[in-house]
Structure formats: structure tokens, C-alpha cells
Amino acid sequence: FTSERTKLPQKTNDKGLAFVTAMDTYEPVSFGIDQATLTDPFWVATPEAVQVTLRPGVPGHVDFPVVTTGEIDGVIYRQKDTWSETASDVVVQLVDQKGDVVDETRSQYDGFYLMEFIRPGTYTLRINPDQLDRLKLPAVPERVVEIGNDGTILNGNDFVIGDASKGKPKVRVLLASFSTIEEAQAAWDEIKKALSDAFKGVDAEFTEIAAQGAKSAYVDLYALPFKDREAAGHACIDLRAKFGETYCNPLEISIK
């Protein structure tokens, strides 16, 4: 336990009880759990500390429920033409049932965001509406999420800014760029043959990029659709392991 900024020597026994002495009396003091002594890194005390006022010879009694926390992650995209691209520096908020923002984070350079140490409960997950208004971006639907007592981990809570579609997003991966469509087609045939399980039910899409200035024309080879971003990432990792790191980057997955 701690009192103000001082660590106290007493520890709980096998029944979770501790008798703490030498506390100040007649004045409010902060009394809480030293979070570093909890054996599971996902445990937190609720509350972490309380204010107590003690009297000589009269022991106070304080209970500290310890809960297992959860986490939420996902990727933020912004619609661009037909397909979307990842968006960095987007503020994602977690709102409790009282309407209070209990946590917020920003998406990283690859659009990924992560919220950790979320206490059990039902929340609303959203992109900060003030940020959307300030940047004159369309509203993004909120979603309800629930963290259970066992420390739920919710992966793949992606948001698309400017997405007008009502259906499930399609996921695609840029595999590589080639000089000609013939080269791209030959590469795709080899990929499907070598990694039939990873690319099962997935088709190729060839996009010709016109020459600009000193740059020559080339062809982008995409694979789509994957059932979700996780499946696309695994396929990309398998491809790089088989054919080398010149192939797709698992962090550059686009959706629409």
C-alpha cells in the first residue's frame, strides 16, 4: 500500500488482508494500492486510492476491489477516391454510460490505435466529434463495446472517415508493382500456386499507373477481397516469408 507518496511496509496475507499501522490521525490522508505490486499487469484497483481520516485506537476499514482490465485496438482509415488510406493523429475516445470520456488516444502513423487498461463495463467507442467538426469531416457512426470481467480484448475496431457504404468493408492488399501486366500476372499465378491456403477465395486486381515525367509506367498488383484486416495481414506475412520483403507491407492494407 501507499500513503501519499510513501510506500508502506505492510502487505496482504493469503486472504487479501493487511493491518496497516503508523498512519496519521485527525487529518485526511491518501491511502491506496501500490499498483506495481499487483501480480498481473492487467489488474487495476478500483479505486486506486481513497482519502481517509483516522482516530487513535479506532481502526478504519477500506476495501479495494481489483479487476482485470481489457484493451481495444483498430485502424483509422479515411476515404480517398474508391479506396481508403490510413489516417494518423485521429483522436479515438471511450465514453462511459454517464457520457464521460474515460480514455482517449491518437492513431499512429499507420492509422493504428490502442487503448489499454480498460475497466469492465459497457462503453461507447467513437472518433472525437469535435475534431471531425473542426476539420469539416463527416460524422462517423459510434459503436457500443463491452469489456467483461475476464479482461476482454477487442481487436479490429476499425473506423472509416467518409465511408458512405452500408455493407461490410472490402479489404485488399497491394502485393507489389511490376513493369508490365504480363509480369504481374505471372507473379500472381506463382503466388496462388505457392500459397493457395493464404489466398484462397482471393482474386487479383491490376491497376495501371501512367508515366509521369521521368517516371515510367508500371502496374500495381492487388489481392482482394479478404474477410478482414487480420486475414490480409497474415497473407501478406506469408507472402514475404516465401518470396522476400520486396512484396507487400502488412501495415499498408486498404479497405472500401
Side-chain angles (χ1 to χ4, degrees):
F1 295 92
T2 62
S3 178
E4 304 301 338
R5 297 183 179 180
T6 303
K7 290 187 178 183
L8 304 174
Q10 296 87 354
K11 296 182 179 180
T12 55
N13 59 20
D14 58 356
K15 296 182 179 180
L17 302 173
F19 185 67
V20 181
T21 59
M23 300 282 291
D24 292 338
T25 56
Y26 297 119
E27 293 183 358
V29 294
S30 177
F31 180 65
I33 283 185
D34 181 1
Q35 296 281 135
T37 63
L38 296 176
T39 57
D40 189 316
F42 289 98
W43 285 357
V44 296
T46 305
E48 296 181 12
V50 296
Q51 291 286 327
V52 294
T53 302
L54 303 174
R55 291 179 293 158
V58 182
H61 183 89
V62 180
D63 291 328
F64 289 99
V66 175
V67 298
T68 301
T69 60
E71 63 182 42
I72 301 172
D73 70 37
V75 175
I76 308 299
Y77 295 92
R78 183 175 178 182
Q79 197 74 23
K80 183 180 180 182
D81 301 324
T82 304
W83 290 89
S84 62
E85 61 182 10
T86 55
S88 63
D89 210 34
V90 176
V91 178
V92 184
Q93 295 180 325
L94 194 66
V95 183
D96 65 15
Q97 292 182 299
K98 296 179 181 179
D100 297 327
V101 177
V102 296
D103 194 9
E104 70 175 26
T105 186
R106 289 180 180 269
S107 59
Q108 303 302 306
Y109 72 95
D110 57 355
F112 181 78
Y113 74 89
L114 172 65
M115 289 182 170
E116 299 178 290
F117 307 112
I118 305 171
R119 290 175 168 80
T122 301
Y123 302 92
T124 297
L125 186 67
R126 70 184 187 187
I127 294 179
N128 186 350
D130 293 337
Q131 184 185 36
L132 294 174
D133 289 342
R134 186 173 66 255
L135 298 176
K136 294 181 172 53
L137 296 172
V140 179
E142 303 173 345
R143 63 190 63 173
V144 176
V145 294
E146 185 170 353
I147 301 297
N149 295 325
D150 57 348
T152 309
I153 297 178
L154 300 176
N155 303 120
N157 278 274
D158 303 339
F159 288 97
V160 182
I161 301 173
D163 179 22
S165 67
K166 302 298 183 182
K168 186 177 180 180
K170 294 182 180 179
V171 181
R172 75 172 182 177
V173 177
L174 173 60
L175 303 185
S177 299
F178 299 88
S179 299
T180 65
I181 290 183
E182 290 75 19
E183 290 181 2
Q185 182 65 62
W188 174 245
D189 293 341
E190 189 175 1
I191 290 169
K192 288 283 286 187
K193 181 178 179 181
L195 300 170
S196 56
D197 290 339
F199 289 86
K200 184 177 181 180
V202 176
D203 297 319
E205 179 180 271
F206 305 95
T207 302
E208 293 187 72
I209 309 299
Q212 295 181 352
K215 295 183 179 180
S216 302
Y218 58 94
V219 177
D220 283 338
L221 168 61
Y222 291 92
L224 77 160
F226 292 91
K227 64 178 182 179
D228 52 35
R229 184 168 52 84
E230 185 178 6
H234 287 320
C236 194
I237 291 171
D238 291 344
L239 179 60
R240 289 164 68 89
K242 180 70 175 179
F243 293 102
E245 295 185 358
T246 57
Y247 279 86
C248 63
N249 184 343
L251 298 179
E252 296 179 356
I253 296 172
S254 57
I255 69 174
K256 76 171 179 179

